[in-house]
Amino acid sequence: MNSDALFTDFYSLTMAQGYWKRGMDSRAVFEMFFRHHPFKGGFSVFAGLESFLEKLKSFIFTEDDISYLKSLKLFDDAFLNYLRDFRFKGSIWAMQEGTVVFPVEPLVRVEGGLIECQLIEGMLLNSINFQSLIATKTARIWLASGMGSIIEFGLRRAQGQDGALSATRAAYIGGASGTSNTLAGKAFGVPVLGTMAHSWIMSWPSEEEAFKAYAELYPDRTVFLIDTYDTLKSGIVNAIKIGKTLAEKGKSFGVRLDSGDIHYLSVEVRKKLDEAGLKNVTISVSNDLDEFIIQTLTDAKAPVDIWGVGTKMVTGGIEAAFPGVYKLSASENESGALVPRIKFSDNPEKTTNPGVKQVWRVKDESGYCVADILTLDDSGGGESIEKGKTYSFWHPQADYRRFSHTLDGSAQPLLVQWLKDGNMIRESCSLPDIRKRLRDDLESLDHSYKRILNPHIYKVSMTERLRTLKLEQIKTYLGDG
């Protein structure tokens, strides 16, 4: 049986043995969150949760795993016997995939024994950080295109097979309408697309013959790649010649540009197609595109119908990783009570928010997002946000900044429970449903937060009760309380 149990940072195992030997497997709560948006954006997209939950099902230490750990001569036999029987028995609360998310708010909350919470850290962060990065990047590209048609072309540039598969899944959530990755199409049901490469055209005596042969083979799915030799003097001329034979049979086709000045060439190609009476022929473009190039072309009204994006979509481009972290927020004390924990730092941004928390999304009467609010959600009684009441909400760094708001719209808790005592209690969502959730979330977000450059900063705040708890804990660690 395949297992992902060793897919973890080594310190998770050394700490786990330490906790086990010291009898420190009491209740604990960890939270995953991130500190800033990638790409200097105004929003991020939560993705990868269901991939993580699927891996968690097979999180066991096989005999082969145990033999490897034993060979390291660091782990006691008794601890290795403990790992043989290990199964995750905790609970997981998380936002739903496709949710638009913001810094410092918990995306995932893991509750269980200290050891099991620690062992799954690496797998959780790996699954969610990468897919959230790619889903966020793709959503930006989709918005830059004017919510147009985006095809993911990144298989050959992705970080290995698993990276390519995960990237395709995340890109589809983020707004891509199809992929060139055939295996991902099988695995996730994402539409697969693609026609020819330059090598097809170069393999024939002439460009015209190459186009003719392809049109005969695939009359219902023909897109001519027109930049192999000369886009305007040869490629589009031959595409029009062969394409007219398809049009006469009632078939539609397209042309694709993969090099050169995309704006100039797309305008000229559109002119030639229209002059030939082929006004319904689509123009696809590729060539190292990203959201900045696409927005420039869109603003310039380049006549592009379909955008093929590869490297900079599936790798994140200028941003190497999604900055998600996993921190202890509460643990059981010697009396058996679950008490808040805080990581204190001289850098205010790295001081965590203590306690077991919920995140509420507050919207106005029109359905637009106003703010996300962090509340305490502990055994002492979870906080709720009710319609008609006026609240003061504080900046999450626990400083003097705050704002008042009378709830005239809605307030929805974003963290929902997925696992209880190690068992799934909620049905998985389909990728189309996740994709729709993102589009609905983006629709409820003011355009100022979705700008590609210099977006407005969305409010993430905390309640008075959570702020007071944080200030008390800071005073304790500073020796003032």
Side-chain angles (χ1 to χ4, degrees), residues 215 240-251:
I240 289 172
K241 183 176 182 180
I242 304 303
K244 279 186 173 182
T245 65
L246 287 172
E248 289 168 0
K249 299 174 183 178
K251 306 293 185 180

Side-chain angles (χ1 to χ4, degrees), residues 272 361 400:
K272 292 181 182 297
R361 179 147 297 165
Y400 63 90

Side-chain angles (χ1 to χ4, degrees), residues 414-429:
L414 298 183
L415 292 172
V416 296
Q417 191 166 14
W418 294 87
L419 263 69
K420 182 178 181 180
D421 300 326
N423 298 310
M424 284 286 292
I425 62 170
R426 181 178 293 271
E427 289 187 6
S428 299
C429 297

Side-chain angles (χ1 to χ4, degrees), residues 70-351:
K70 186 178 180 67
S71 73
L72 300 179
K73 302 186 184 306
L74 186 65
F75 300 102
D76 292 355
D77 287 344
F79 176 66
L80 294 177
N81 285 333
Y82 163 81
L83 293 182
R84 275 190 177 91
D85 298 326
F86 178 84
R87 300 292 186 277
F88 182 78
K89 300 289 182 62
S91 298
I92 291 180
W93 295 67
M95 295 189 185
Q96 298 188 75
E97 285 195 87
T99 300
V100 169
V101 293
F102 301 94
V104 310
E105 56 192 30
L107 309 181
V108 182
R109 191 171 85 206
V110 181
E111 303 176 5
L114 182 57
I115 294 175
E116 62 183 344
C117 291
Q118 197 75 71
L119 285 174
I120 67 170
E121 174 184 4
M123 191 172 72
L124 185 156
L125 289 174
N126 178 269
S127 298
I128 292 174
N129 276 338
F130 181 67
Q131 290 199 39
S132 295
L133 179 78
I134 305 308
T136 302
K137 183 70 170 182
T138 307
R140 287 168 56 81
I141 291 170
W142 180 66
L143 290 171
S145 74
M147 297 178 286
S149 181
I150 308 293
I151 309 298
E152 181 263 303
F153 280 175
L155 177 149
R156 64 191 63 188
R157 302 287 175 80
Q159 286 91 339
Q161 180 171 317
D162 180 68
L165 286 169
S166 296
T168 298
R169 181 183 187 276
Y172 186 70
I173 291 171
S177 55
T179 180
S180 66
N181 187 337
T182 312
L183 182 57
K186 176 187 174 184
F188 306 122
V190 177
V192 290
L193 302 160
T195 53
M196 65 179 69
H198 294 106
S199 56
W200 171 269
I201 298 159
M202 295 161 65
S203 298
W204 294 83
S206 70
E207 187 176 55
E208 180 181 340
E209 290 175 86
F211 287 175
K212 181 180 179 182
Y214 202 93
E216 289 174 350
L217 285 166
Y218 307 106
D220 297 311
R221 296 188 66 173
T222 296
V223 177
F224 298 116
L225 182 59
I226 61 175
D227 68 334
T228 303
Y229 301 119
D230 190 307
T231 299
L232 299 180
K233 293 181 180 179
S234 172
I236 188 58
V237 174
N238 287 314
I240 289 172
K241 183 176 182 180
I242 304 303
K244 279 186 173 182
T245 65
L246 287 172
E248 289 168 0
K249 299 174 183 178
K251 306 293 185 180
S252 59
F253 69 96
V255 298
R256 179 162 76 95
L257 295 165
D258 189 47
S259 61
D261 186 327
I262 297 296
H263 182 213
Y264 169 74
L265 290 175
S266 64
V267 169
E268 293 302 310
V269 166
R270 184 76 269 163
K271 285 180 185 177
K272 292 181 182 297
L273 288 169
D274 290 350
E275 289 168 359
L278 299 169
K279 296 182 181 294
N280 294 326
V281 173
T282 58
I283 298 176
S284 306
V285 302
S286 47
N287 189 25
D288 212 23
L289 300 174
D290 63 13
E291 64 266 46
F292 303 105
I293 295 172
I294 289 174
Q295 185 168 67
T296 298
L297 291 168
T298 302
D299 290 345
K301 302 189 184 309
V304 175
D305 302 294
I306 302 169
W307 307 87
V309 189
T311 304
K312 292 179 180 178
M313 179 184 289
V314 302
T315 65
I318 60 174
E319 197 86 21
F322 191 82
V325 295
Y326 184 76
K327 301 296 182 185
L328 179 69
S329 62
S331 64
E332 196 174 61
N333 64 13
E334 294 178 354
S335 302
L338 196 63
V339 297
R341 303 295 185 191
I342 188 171
K343 175 188 177 294
F344 181 70
S345 173
D346 290 337
N347 182 349
E349 292 182 356
K350 289 202 169 186
T351 298

Side-chain angles (χ1 to χ4, degrees), residues 3-9 55 59 119-120 122-123 126-127 162:
S3 169
D4 291 310
L6 293 188
F7 191 59
T8 189
D9 291 304
K55 291 176 183 176
F59 194 93
L119 285 174
I120 67 170
M123 191 172 72
N126 178 269
S127 298
D162 180 68

Side-chain angles (χ1 to χ4, degrees), residues 15-42:
M15 285 190 291
Q17 176 169 252
Y19 293 144
W20 179 82
K21 293 181 78 169
R22 300 293 186 183
M24 296 173 59
D25 196 20
S26 55
R27 286 187 301 155
V29 179
F30 282 76
E31 293 175 345
M32 180 200 171
F33 60 94
F34 66 105
R35 295 191 176 102
H36 61 84
H37 292 298
F39 317 114
K40 298 181 180 179

Side-chain angles (χ1 to χ4, degrees), residues 357-373:
K357 295 179 288 298
Q358 177 59 271
V359 184
W360 294 75
R361 179 147 297 165
V362 175
K363 295 182 179 180
D364 63 20
E365 289 181 303
S366 301
Y368 279 94
C369 296
V370 174
D372 283 8
I373 308 299

